[in-house]
Amino acid sequence: MNRPSYPSDLTDAQWTFIEPHLPSIGESTFCETVSRRELVNGIRYVLRSGVQWRMLPHDLPNWRTVYFYHNLWAKNAVWERVNAALISEERERKGRKAGPSAAVCDSQSVKTTQKGGLAVTMGTKK
C-alpha cells in the first residue's frame, strides 16, 4: 500500500482473518492491478464515513470497481460468510462452541382498545 492509511483501513490482523473468505478477483488485466485488500478498504471507507461511492478518495481503487465488488460479494453472500466466521471465532475465543446450541423466541402482547379511529387518538369518549 503506497498511500497514507485511513482510520477505516483493515489492520493486518483483520486482513489475515478476512482474506481466506474472499473469492479471487480473476485473471483479467482489469483486475490484476487492484488488490482485494484495497477493495475492502474502499468499501469500508464508504460504509464507515458515509460518503457517496463517487466521493471515494483517488488514492483508493476507482469507485466503480469498489462498488462493483461490494455488490457482487453482497449478492454472492460473501459478507454473510465473513460475518458467520467472525461470530464463530468470537464464540470460540470466549470458550464456547462455534455455533449456538439453543435459540430463544419471544413474543410481545400489545393491548389495544375496543374503540378505534379518532376516539382513541383524540381522547374523546362516546
Side-chain angles (χ1 to χ4, degrees):
M1 181 168 62
N2 297 331
R3 62 171 178 77
S5 65
Y6 292 104
S8 58
D9 283 353
L10 292 167
T11 65
D12 289 339
Q14 290 169 329
W15 176 244
T16 299
F17 179 83
I18 290 174
E19 181 182 21
H21 302 287
L22 297 178
S24 63
I25 293 177
E27 299 299 323
S28 71
T29 56
F30 166 74
C31 296
E32 285 179 5
T33 60
V34 180
S35 78
R36 292 182 303 159
R37 184 172 183 168
E38 282 297 272
L39 288 171
V40 175
N41 284 336
I43 292 166
R44 285 176 50 92
Y45 183 91
V46 169
L47 297 179
R48 295 291 306 265
S49 67
V51 301
Q52 297 171 355
W53 290 102
R54 291 174 185 255
M55 295 180 70
L56 196 64
H58 295 289
D59 54 355
L60 287 166
N62 181 282
W63 74 268
R64 288 180 180 93
T65 305
V66 175
Y67 180 75
F68 172 82
Y69 279 100
H70 169 66
N71 285 335
L72 178 67
W73 292 342
K75 182 177 130 185
N76 293 332
V78 170
W79 301 125
E80 284 90 355
R81 288 193 300 273
V82 169
N83 188 53
L86 285 168
I87 290 169
S88 294
E89 182 176 279
E90 180 63 12
R91 288 180 60 83
E92 289 173 347
R93 189 183 69 77
K94 291 182 175 182
R96 302 163 92 184
K97 292 182 179 179
S101 58
V104 176
C105 252
D106 190 16
S107 64
Q108 180 178 352
S109 298
V110 178
K111 294 183 180 184
T112 61
T113 180
Q114 294 287 340
K115 294 183 180 182
L118 291 177
V120 173
T121 58
M122 299 298 285
T124 60
K125 296 181 181 180
K126 289 194 176 188

